[in-house]
Amino acid sequence: MLKTRITTAVVLLLAFSAGLIFTSIDVFALGLAVIVSAGAWEWGRMSGLADEDAQTAYAALTGVAALIALYVPYSAGWIQWLMLIGVLFWFSVPALFYLSPKQPAIAGPDSVLLAIGLLVFVVAAVAIQYLRSFAPEASSWLLFY
């Protein structure tokens, strides 16, 4: 089991690295949207979507939202506000875990968790594309660090 996981991780790392270094901005954006969709499909399951069609629809919606966000013209103001939202969210997560009472198992779709997933995936995709292609010192190597 561990050998399979390690092999999968190495293959995915090599594929992502090759895409990061050798692809154009458009191909990389499409790859990010596919990765976001795959992550959103799993997030949908963890958020209570039991129906596979609902998971697929959520994954497609999240992937399309990420793709749209990746093609919005990059301006310093827009990126700064989006990254501020992401940073504030991640700073609030430890407090939310600490302060919230123990939650029961998720019985059905939780719209708050689905919205949080959409936000997290879109912000992450935009941040990755920005660091690779648009930041003042943008480079593929910046993401390796």
Side-chain angles (χ1 to χ4, degrees), residues 13-136:
L13 178 64
L14 291 174
F16 181 75
S17 299
L20 186 63
I21 295 170
F22 298 115
T23 61
S24 68
I25 291 173
D26 293 332
V27 173
F28 190 73
L30 185 60
L32 276 177
V34 169
I35 291 168
V36 162
S37 294
W41 195 83
E42 288 295 330
W43 184 268
R45 177 178 288 173
M46 291 187 299
S47 299
L49 291 177
D51 182 33
E52 198 167 305
D53 291 336
Q55 279 180 266
T56 304
Y58 176 71
L61 172 75
T62 306
V64 168
L67 199 56
I68 289 169
L70 290 170
Y71 280 98
V72 170
Y74 282 81
S75 68
W78 182 81
I79 291 293
Q80 287 174 348
W81 281 108
L82 187 65
M83 294 306 126
L84 178 63
I85 290 168
V87 166
L88 291 175
F89 169 78
W90 284 113
F91 278 146
S92 71
V93 166
L96 290 173
F97 277 126
Y98 181 74
L99 296 175
S100 68
K102 185 174 180 178
Q103 301 291 322
I106 297 173
D110 187 340
S111 58
V112 173
L113 287 177
L114 292 171
I116 288 171
L118 181 74
L119 172 76
V120 167
F121 284 118
V122 169
V123 170
V126 170
I128 290 170
Q129 183 74 304
Y130 181 75
L131 288 175
R132 178 188 185 262
S133 306
F134 300 110

